Amino acid sequence: MITSLGINTVDPTVIDLVRDTERTDDDLVLSVIGCGYLGAVHAASMAALGHTVVGVDVDQSKITALGQARPPLYEPRLADLLADGLGSGRLRFAGDPAAVRRATVHFLCVGTPQQPGGVAADLRHLDAAVTALLPYLKSGDLVVGKSTVPVGTAARLRARIQAVEPAAELAWNPEFLREGHAVADTLAPDRLVYGVPGGPTGTAAADLLNRIYAKAVADGTPVIITDYATAELTKAAANAFLATKISFINAMADLCDATGGDVVQLADALGHDRRIGRQFLGAGLGFGGGCLPKDIRAFLARAEELGAGSSLGFLREVDAINLHRRARLVELALDACGGLPAGRRIAVLGAAFKPGSDDIRDSPALDVAERLASFGADVVITDPRAVDRVAETRPQLRVTRSLDEAVRGAELILLLTEWPEYVALNPVALSKVVDRAVIIDGRNALDPARWRAAGWSYRGLGRAGS
Ligand code: NAD
């Protein structure tokens, strides 16, 4: 069957990939290149939608784990989706780039980290993924970029692709998923953005993406069909806006500390204004993770290359405010130790960059824990999901899976990732196992009055008036 893009949807030879008897002739064969956070979720979700999917990654250990339905990361529902997809025969994983041969749509999901020693995005993985894909591209294939990239990347990659296979096309379909909700966000996104070139192949590319995401489209998900630059900028702008909102409320937290105000009440009061909204007005230790910090830096670096740096100069301040949160928390912790942290037992609750995830990339919690450990404090870190990752990557830090072990005998508790189980802690019971009832609530997630009533010395960030 030929689509308007001239795409062969199911090559008869792929039948070995498709054991599902419910398959129809309209099934698509997709490849997902790069099976990390984004790609593993995308591959499993596309298989759940009924497509035949091969996931490819250069990391053989990841491929082996995914092939056994073991996700490389914690994400609700992902293990079930992997098991279903693998069991149905619609999903498989491979380390060999040749495995994409039978697919007609290729999703690029590789990492675009911060350049080592720089701030711009490092596109080496993306370029290597395209290089590996080129020998297998066929007339009518569609390559779909999902990674977060500097504006201009899609146009450059299209030229590379069409130099080798002029009848292949490229679309840019940025991903907006939230870690911890990644499967739900992939299956039912807030919106779909397709950056496509002008002309009939661009229209055909958008039609094909609508077929791939047919369920979301039928459910009324807004679809924005635009040019490459707007699609690339949408993702960068979304992250810049969210980062700015967080740093804005953190700047207000400093004002609250200077004036005796309470930033949580301030955020509530602001959030009732429908033009502002309460989301992303959580003052505290600030943002981290594998996206926002590197994405705002890459956005600014790209704007500077384009001669538009002054328009985004505020992102430098957004970044600085955010990083200063970590220094501020360390300052409060040192203060709570009377300026003498060496040998003091500090329990750090949370290592993931946010609750609901085991991702520790650029985790503010871990940064604070490491700084305090470097001062000689006896830091013990616990987290419901991320302990193994911390142990693997930072063997010098003390970790425990047991909350009880982390807090027993502690002289200072730092709540640094607001996992529900930490927010629900009973201050009375906790006060009986610690050495000193002193807590710094780095996420402003606790009720100060309740903790103080239980005999705790409580500090939040921007809660001088609480
Ligand atoms: P990740 O580091 O978890 O995964 C990247 C994967 O790509 C790794 O498994 C790596 O082995 C693989 N890879 C590298 N080079 C490759 C190659 N040449 N061929 C095949 N595989 C290769 O990163 P991630 O968090 O999944 O992010 C991927 C992209 O998605 C980034 O651009 C990121 O900004 C964007 N993004 C991420 C999220 C998120 O929440 N994690 C959300 C939206 C967008």
Side-chain angles (χ1 to χ4, degrees), residues 36-38 57 62 110-112 147-148 175 177 179 294 361:
Y37 215 114
L38 165 62
D57 201 288
K62 216 169 259 186
V110 302
T112 49
S147 302
T148 303
E175 179 57 58
L177 66 81
E179 292 190 12
K294 62 122 175 136
R361 289 178 289 184

Side-chain angles (χ1 to χ4, degrees), residues 32-88:
V32 173
I33 301 169
C35 293
Y37 215 114
L38 165 62
V41 171
H42 196 69
S45 301
M46 291 304 103
L49 291 175
H51 304 306
T52 298
V53 182
V54 57
V56 176
D57 201 288
V58 289
D59 182 341
Q60 190 53 51
S61 63
K62 216 169 259 186
I63 289 301
T64 305
L66 284 165
Q68 296 165 353
R70 285 189 290 116
L73 47 110
Y74 168 70
E75 189 61 43
R77 291 177 62 195
L78 180 56
D80 290 345
L81 248 56
L82 285 171
D84 289 352
L86 293 163
S88 73

